[in-house]
Every structure is written in C-alpha cells, then in structure tokens.
Amino acid sequence: NRKRKHQSTAHEKGVDNSSGNKIFNGIIVAISTLESRQNNTAINTNNDECANENNDSDDPYQNYKTLTQLLQTLGATISPQVHKRVHYLISTDCAVQNLTQRVRQALKRNVDIIDVAWVQECREKNERVDVDNYLCNELAECLMIEKAKDKKREKKLLENNGNEDGASRDDDGKNEHDEDNAGWSTPVQLDCCCVCHENGDDNCPWCTDCNITRAKRKREAELGRVK
C-alpha cells in the first residue's frame, strides 16, 4: 500500500500532446540499464549507468544511450541523478535484479521504478499508458531485504568462525597450563634434580654444594646447636 507520488492514469493522459508525439512532455525521468556484457566483465552496481553508456545493443530499450535519446525524442527530461523531482526511474530488469545505485536511490526517495517495457508500450500506442502494471518497487524492496539478510547471515557466520577459533586457542592454553601445574599446590623451583636426594645418598660427588645439600647441612647445624 505504498503511497504513489504521482498519479498516472487520468492526469497523465490529460497531458497536452499538441506538440506531435511528445507523449512524455512534462515528466522528469532517470534511467538505469546495467546491460549484461558478453565478455562477462564484473558488474559495478555503484557506477552502473556510466559503465554502459558506451555499450552497444541491438535492443534500444536495453541501452542507456539509445533509451535516453528515445525518451528525449518523446519529450521526457532526463535527470542524471534520482532526486525528489524525478517522476520515474526507467529501469531494465537486470538493473533491478542487481539493485543498482539508482534503483537503491529510487527506493530511498520513494520514486516509482518503472520497467522499460512501459516506454515501449507507450511508444507503440503513441500515448502514455498507466504505469501500475510496470511498477518494480515491490520487487526491488524484496531484493533489498534478501540482500540485507544475506549480509547478516554472512556476518554471523564469520563471527561464529572467529569465536570458535578463539575458544579453541583458549582451550589449548588452559589444558597446557593445567598439565604444567598438575600435582603442585604452589610453584616449587629446585636447582638440583639429582636422584641422590630421592635415594638419601649423602655422598654424591655431584651434589656436594647444591642448594638441597646446603639446606640440609644448615638444618643439621641448627639441630646441633639446639642439642
């Protein structure tokens, strides 16, 4: 139930056509074509019309330059941008499907997006026909919603992958830490790790001056003084 900016049927057919076949006298239109190129060059939807103004096409309704000339011949004023004074954005299906910059601008500014087939029918009948059957705003809005959902899903997927990698690194670090400290209530550092201290061998030639032997002798000396 989107409110139409411009009523077409009675008002448009009441336009003065006394100047021959200038059936589009009094309307301002912008154009979005975005032709598919045979060399499969990547489509740039942010600069679509500029990219294919020089493209050649057998169909004059699919080519920006020839469509511009046709609309001007029929009396329309061509706007390079989609602003609030633009009545219609004349668009090809390819442009709508790819949500070109001008299609997005038209949605943002509540400008009617009209399929280029409307121009063809008007030209054939030599009168401005009703645009209701050629409106593409609803389709474009649905495509915008789907595109936003796809971006949201992609962002969530990337975030989940990042969280999983971080959790994996944290788990690995935690396990290594637990293993390093297994069996100890507090960190203990020993300068001497000779097995003689476990066997009770006081005559080990390698440990005559290690910290454990010195500590043992100190305790024995204190005990001797106490006695």
Side-chain angles (χ1 to χ4, degrees):
N1 296 326
R2 187 175 60 86
K3 185 177 179 180
R4 290 276 302 281
K5 288 179 59 180
H6 307 284
Q7 297 298 326
S8 60
T9 309
H11 174 73
E12 290 179 354
K13 289 186 178 180
V15 173
D16 182 12
N17 289 332
S18 58
S19 57
N21 62 347
K22 302 287 185 178
I23 57 177
F24 293 148
N25 266 348
I27 67 171
I28 303 172
V29 300
I31 302 171
S32 183
T33 54
L34 192 63
E35 294 176 79
S36 299
R37 303 184 181 184
Q38 295 180 353
N39 58 2
N40 295 324
T41 303
I43 294 174
N44 181 355
T45 58
N46 288 324
N47 196 22
D48 48 284
E49 284 75 28
C50 293
N52 70 96
E53 284 181 1
N54 296 322
N55 280 357
D56 294 326
S57 174
D58 294 336
D59 188 348
Y61 297 97
Q62 299 295 318
N63 179 272
Y64 184 92
K65 182 179 294 185
T66 56
L67 182 58
T68 297
Q69 293 172 347
L70 175 60
L71 286 166
Q72 288 175 331
T73 300
L74 296 175
T77 299
I78 307 300
S79 171
Q81 299 296 330
V82 182
H83 49 74
K84 293 182 179 180
R85 293 188 299 275
V86 169
H87 296 85
Y88 304 128
L89 172 67
I90 307 300
S91 177
T92 62
D93 181 67
C94 183
V96 174
Q97 293 294 332
N98 284 278
L99 294 173
T100 64
Q101 184 181 37
R102 290 178 185 172
V103 169
R104 298 194 302 270
Q105 289 175 346
L107 287 176
K108 183 178 180 180
R109 293 170 172 79
N110 196 30
V111 173
D112 288 335
I113 304 171
I114 310 299
D115 189 275
V116 70
W118 174 72
V119 178
Q120 185 173 3
E121 183 176 355
C122 291
R123 185 187 183 192
E124 291 173 352
K125 293 184 177 181
N126 199 31
E127 66 176 356
R128 200 183 308 176
V129 300
D130 191 359
V131 299
D132 287 345
N133 294 330
Y134 298 95
L135 286 170
C136 301
N137 292 70
E138 185 175 349
L139 172 60
E141 288 170 356
C142 291
L143 292 171
M144 285 287 288
I145 293 172
E146 288 301 317
K147 185 176 181 179
K149 288 181 179 179
D150 290 341
K151 285 186 175 180
K152 187 175 181 180
R153 283 193 292 266
E154 183 178 354
K155 182 179 179 181
K156 187 175 182 180
L157 181 61
L158 291 174
E159 289 176 351
N160 291 338
N161 290 338
N163 292 337
E164 289 176 1
D165 292 341
S168 177
R169 288 192 295 270
D170 292 343
D171 291 343
D172 292 342
K174 184 177 180 180
N175 290 338
E176 291 175 1
H177 180 74
D178 292 343
E179 291 175 2
D180 290 342
N181 293 282
W184 298 97
S185 57
T186 56
V188 176
Q189 181 176 358
L190 297 176
D191 291 338
C192 182
C193 59
C194 182
V195 71
C196 70
H197 302 298
E198 296 180 11
N199 297 337
D201 183 4
D202 297 332
N203 299 318
C204 178
W206 304 102
C207 302
T208 56
D209 196 36
C210 72
N211 66 323
I212 296 178
T213 300
R214 288 198 303 269
K216 183 178 180 183
R217 290 173 181 171
K218 184 178 180 180
R219 286 194 300 272
E220 290 176 349
E222 290 176 351
L223 290 173
R225 285 197 300 269
V226 171
K227 290 180 180 179

